[in-house]
Amino acid sequence: MRSLGARGTIPLVALALIGAPAGCGEDDPEPSPTQAADAPGAGGLLAWAIASNPGDLDPLRATTREAQLVTLQVHEPLVQSLSGPFGSVRRMPGLASASSSAANDTIWSFTLRQGVRFHDGSRFNAAAVVANAERWRADPSGRALMGDVFATDAPRPDLVRFFLEQPDPDFPERLSTPRTGIVSPRAIGPLGSSRLRRELRSGSGPFELRERDADSVLVARNLSWWGTARGLGPELDQVEFRVVADAEDRLALLQAGDVQVAERLGPGQARAAREDPLLDVLPGSRGSLAMQRSVRGITTARELPSLSGVWVTRVMPG
């Protein structure tokens, strides 16, 4: 059985057995109620300056960096590797705890984490994954994301299988992107439709969508997230993504302390940020990301972070 991680972080070793018993992966037992956090963390508000309005927060239609950054906090991809806040080095798989392949990598089986609920209260299980796969197949961009999948089934509530026309040894990576974030079946439109009925309460992730307008998107800590009882956070209570079109303005807000993270900075803004002793700068392919040194848990500007593992040493009030 394969332990699942983030794209390219944990190697996968194929097994021929399709329906291996649940629990053969690295999923840990369900925590007792006394292990779960009963109150929000003391993380306060993280303000993040982005370059443009994220637009559609349906993960399937999230084609920009801004949209994918926001929707990744709300909708979890099936395949993910997570680590907790405060510098935790332990990594844990996400919604799928393990995988196996058979028939020359044309049948892929995923063992699912149990006890997970979407923000609307519905259960995450194999039927929910199949509903999402059918939604992807009903959309041209979804079919491109999935590759040569022609069918899916759910032999057990904790097991889902994908059947491919052609071998694909890297198929789990296709299910690790923000655009393949899992949504609640209750939020999916009529049979054969790839559109969501609603964005609110459609995810299962560490944050819930609370408010949005032309200038900002606010997500708040999901008190019932499955990862909290396992030490995965989130430490932050709220994250506000503020739309600031001009890179100079994003840098000015960061230097003034009005935001704690600013991204898509050009070479000039990045140089100015490096000269500020209170800021850290991370290079990226689409511009640099700068942040106050009080922000911890963001290590690269190239990959989109799950903010469940981010914390700050000096918080802004929520």
Side-chain angles (χ1 to χ4, degrees), residues 25 34 37 194 253 278 285:
T34 57
S194 63
L253 288 172
L278 299 179
S285 58

Side-chain angles (χ1 to χ4, degrees), residues 220-306:
R221 186 175 185 262
N222 173 16
L223 300 180
S224 300
W225 187 47
W226 63 266
T228 299
R230 295 170 172 84
L232 296 178
E235 169 62 15
L236 302 169
D237 288 329
Q238 296 181 321
V239 182
E240 181 184 12
F241 298 95
R242 300 184 187 176
V243 180
V244 183
D246 186 80
E248 286 287 351
D249 291 342
R250 293 195 294 277
L251 176 60
L253 288 172
L254 180 65
Q255 291 175 321
D258 293 326
V259 301
Q260 293 155 297
V261 183
E263 65 169 53
R264 288 188 185 260
L265 299 182
Q269 293 90 29
R271 283 194 297 271
R274 289 189 185 95
E275 294 173 357
D276 191 321
L278 299 179
L279 302 181
D280 286 324
V281 179
L282 301 174
S285 58
R286 301 182 182 181
S288 297
L289 181 147
M291 58 188 175
Q292 295 180 8
R293 292 197 168 180
S294 59
V295 179
R296 298 287 186 268
I298 302 174
T299 59
T300 175
R302 299 181 185 275
E303 299 294 332
L304 296 171
S306 169

Side-chain angles (χ1 to χ4, degrees), residues 58 60-61 130-140 143 183-185 187-198:
D58 176 348
L60 181 58
R61 307 185 194 290
V130 170
N132 276 262
E134 292 300 315
R135 182 172 96 99
W136 299 334
R137 291 175 61 201
D139 186 273
R143 290 194 295 272
V183 301
S184 167
I188 298 176
L191 184 64
S193 170
S194 63
R195 292 283 177 179
L196 289 187
R197 299 179 188 271
R198 54 178 168 77

Side-chain angles (χ1 to χ4, degrees), residues 15-16 102 111 113 142 150 164 296:
L15 297 179
T111 302
R113 187 176 295 281
F150 67 87
L164 285 62
R296 298 287 186 268

Side-chain angles (χ1 to χ4, degrees), residues 83-84 86-91:
S83 60
F86 311 118
S88 172
V89 297
R90 181 193 179 197
R91 301 197 70 83

Side-chain angles (χ1 to χ4, degrees), residues 50-72 178-179 263-264 286 304:
I50 56 179
S52 62
N53 191 295
D56 199 332
L57 295 182
D58 176 348
L60 181 58
R61 307 185 194 290
T63 57
T64 67
R65 176 180 171 87
E66 288 80 8
Q68 292 180 9
L69 174 63
V70 176
T71 193
L72 181 62
R179 293 190 64 194
E263 65 169 53
R264 288 188 185 260
R286 301 182 182 181
L304 296 171

Side-chain angles (χ1 to χ4, degrees), residues 1-2 13-25 98-111 155-156 159-163:
M1 191 69 68
R2 302 182 178 189
V13 181
L15 297 179
L17 182 61
I18 297 174
C24 290
S99 74
S100 63
S101 68
N104 193 29
D105 291 334
T106 61
I107 302 175
W108 280 92
S109 302
F110 295 87
T111 302
R156 298 194 310 261
L159 181 69
V160 64
R161 298 187 298 187
F162 292 78
F163 298 86

